[in-house]
Amino acid sequence: MARKQVLYIRAIVRDLFLPDDPLVPALLRIMVAVNDLRTLQKVWFYIHSRQETTPSEQDIIKAEDHYLFRLTCATVYEAAIAFRELTEALETTSGAIENMPVEVRAAFDALNNIFPKDFEKRSYGKILVQLRNSVFHYDRAKVFRKELDQHDEVGNFILGEVIGASRYLLVDDLQAQILSRQLSGQFEEQLPELVRLAHDVTKYFGEFVDGMVYMYVQSHERAIEEQRHDTVDLERLWNITPERDDRET
């Protein structure tokens, strides 16, 4: 069934997340990132539920898929920075890590292994930096000019009767070439593993942050004004069929 049980909570924000709590600033930032990652993951499910019937549709879906992957990795990068800040605060708070529930500690340890100190200087971290820059910086003009000078193949683009039917595939190709060169020509080979890792990291972030927030709810009961059970129908909201809903979001 696509309908999932949820707990709807109303709380006095500054009584739940005390402004002078050293953990709160980084925790709130990761909560924002997890919201974004969960939205992106649902869009992933939606994109992969579509069936192309023409070559143009196939190329559009592939290009959108690559962009969504880059956007997910950029968000993972920002979440990882906040996670490192939260980890440093946790390490200076007596018992904060040791007293985590088992499930929360497992997710924390997984993230700490993937994003150790100076993670940006390591292989996965370096890739995340490049992917983040490819999403938000739109490489400098001289980079595109150099790439265009070296591009001697035919480029494609689609112009439609409506905006949503158009796609400038040739610049998608240029962007992919820039990324591939920055990643030592291994982007396409690494893509399946990177996609899997992005989904796994999203899962770990969700489990960790859900657990941390629930711990705050339990320890600040006076901040809670209302708790009630509710449901969310994922299939209706996001067109996710039960057989494709195979990852926790």
Side-chain angles (χ1 to χ4, degrees):
M1 295 293 291
R3 186 168 291 279
K4 303 296 183 180
Q5 297 292 321
V6 299
L7 186 63
Y8 195 98
I9 299 173
R10 287 173 52 84
I12 305 300
V13 175
R14 285 188 294 179
D15 289 342
L16 180 61
F17 300 113
L18 302 178
D20 59 351
D21 184 336
L23 304 182
V24 162
L27 178 59
L28 293 176
R29 290 173 59 201
I30 300 179
M31 289 167 67
V32 173
V34 170
N35 278 346
D36 292 344
L37 286 170
R38 284 173 166 160
T39 300
L40 288 168
Q41 193 168 52
K42 290 169 184 175
V43 177
W44 269 97
F45 288 132
Y46 170 70
I47 283 182
H48 287 280
S49 71
R50 298 181 298 176
Q51 297 295 324
E52 68 276 3
T53 59
T54 69
S56 292
E57 290 175 355
Q58 183 178 25
D59 285 346
I60 288 172
I61 289 176
K62 180 181 178 181
E64 290 174 347
D65 196 29
H66 278 203
Y67 169 72
L68 186 59
F69 165 72
R70 286 164 31 226
L71 186 58
T72 298
C73 287
T75 308
V76 166
Y77 172 75
E78 298 297 334
I81 293 176
F83 173 76
R84 287 310 320 166
E85 291 182 6
L86 178 60
T87 299
E88 292 175 7
L90 286 167
E91 290 173 346
T92 59
T93 303
S94 178
I97 297 176
E98 293 76 11
N99 294 332
M100 287 180 181
V102 174
E103 298 83 0
V104 182
R105 179 63 186 271
F108 172 81
D109 287 342
L111 291 169
N112 204 24
N113 183 57
I114 296 171
F115 303 114
K117 293 180 180 178
D118 299 324
F119 75 93
E120 295 161 289
K121 299 179 181 179
R122 308 191 182 199
S123 57
Y124 183 50
K126 288 181 179 179
I127 291 173
L128 289 181
V129 171
Q130 297 292 353
L131 290 169
R132 176 193 179 277
N133 291 345
S134 76
V135 171
F136 296 123
H137 290 176
Y138 294 121
D139 290 285
R140 295 185 301 274
K142 67 177 182 180
V143 178
F144 266 99
R145 186 177 295 111
K146 178 180 178 181
E147 200 64 45
L148 187 60
D149 288 341
Q150 298 177 3
H151 192 283
D152 56 2
E153 298 181 3
V154 173
N156 302 319
F157 54 93
I158 301 166
L159 297 180
E161 292 181 315
V162 296
I163 293 175
S166 297
R167 186 81 190 188
Y168 311 129
L169 299 169
L170 56 89
V171 290
D172 288 323
D173 292 340
L174 289 175
Q175 185 80 319
Q177 287 180 196
I178 293 170
L179 263 181
S180 184
R181 184 168 288 109
Q182 291 171 338
L183 300 178
S184 303
Q186 300 175 344
F187 178 63
E188 290 297 334
E189 292 80 1
Q190 294 176 331
L191 186 57
E193 178 63 19
L194 290 173
V195 169
R196 183 199 64 78
L197 187 55
H199 282 299
D200 288 346
V201 167
T202 297
K203 175 177 178 291
Y204 295 141
F205 270 124
E207 292 173 346
F208 172 63
V209 175
D210 277 356
M212 289 290 293
V213 172
Y214 189 64
M215 289 168 61
Y216 270 80
V217 169
Q218 288 184 310
S219 60
H220 298 80
E221 292 183 355
R222 288 184 294 181
I224 308 303
E225 289 198 333
E226 178 188 2
Q227 292 189 59
R228 58 183 169 84
H229 293 283
D230 201 359
T231 61
V232 173
D233 189 333
L234 294 177
E235 183 175 355
R236 183 177 60 80
L237 285 179
W238 288 96
N239 193 29
I240 302 173
T241 59
E243 59 271 18
R244 292 204 62 83
D245 185 19
D246 55 358
R247 292 182 185 269
E248 292 295 327
T249 58

